[in-house]
Amino acid sequence: MIHSAALDRMSPREVHDVLALRVAVFVVEQECAYAEIDGRDVEPDAVHWWSRDDDGALTGYLRVLVEPGVHRIGRVVTPAAARGTGAGAVLMRAALATLPGPVVLGAQVRVQGFYERLGFVVDGPGYDEDGIPHVPMLRASTGAVQERGGSSTSC
């Protein structure tokens, strides 16, 4: 089941679960020592999206921020057990269906194809973030998303 809410509308358990997942993957698994809780989660227009399987296990998370002229998707994450199941693509499609274009994000190069299948294109030179190669990406279209080509792969 897919959920979305501002941080102050999430239950304490939901906040705990998504922050625990973000830290487990971004800080521990990817070995990036940085302040994962960056203050942007509480912005008035920030929307948190997460999904759970039938047993209640968290299967994915992402955050949407409003920036001048664009929506920014970030903190896209799936737990190891949900990777390759399509859970990330389902969550991304649900969020994208609510956003007018343009939408931007910074993609880890290793999952660039995942975002390309969702209609994003590289929109500038690559960069290093915490020792991980990234590329800026843009999706200009709006409305429902049809995944293009190949099998669905979540990140």
Side-chain angles (χ1 to χ4, degrees):
M1 176 171 259
I2 294 176
H3 309 271
S4 66
L7 189 74
D8 62 358
R9 305 290 296 179
M10 296 170 70
S11 73
R13 170 58 77 184
E14 290 164 340
V15 172
H16 169 272
D17 290 354
V18 299
L19 291 177
L21 175 61
R22 285 170 31 178
V23 168
V25 173
F26 298 134
V27 178
V28 178
E29 180 182 321
Q30 295 182 355
E31 299 178 349
C32 296
Y34 70 102
E36 170 50 33
I37 299 172
D38 61 2
R40 300 206 67 190
D41 292 319
V42 297
E43 290 180 5
D45 294 323
V47 178
H48 303 270
W49 288 79
W50 68 100
S51 58
R52 294 186 182 276
D53 65 18
D54 291 339
D55 295 325
L58 195 62
T59 57
Y61 170 84
L62 63 85
R63 174 177 77 182
V64 177
L65 302 172
V66 177
E67 295 182 350
V70 299
H71 285 90
R72 175 172 297 280
I73 292 180
R75 301 298 202 262
V76 179
V77 61
T78 54
R83 293 180 197 150
T85 67
V90 169
L91 188 60
M92 281 289 295
R93 285 193 301 269
L96 286 168
T98 70
L99 301 175
V103 180
V104 298
L105 56 81
Q108 292 182 10
V109 170
R110 67 181 185 79
V111 292
Q112 177 180 332
F114 169 77
Y115 296 109
E116 289 172 339
R117 287 188 297 277
L118 292 167
F120 286 86
V121 296
V122 174
D123 189 43
Y127 60 95
D128 181 276
E129 186 172 311
D130 298 310
I132 300 173
H134 283 70
V135 290
M137 299 192 83
L138 167 71
R139 182 177 180 275
S141 61
T142 60
V145 177
Q146 296 295 321
E147 195 164 333
R148 294 182 291 168
S151 62
S152 92
T153 306
S154 61
C155 57

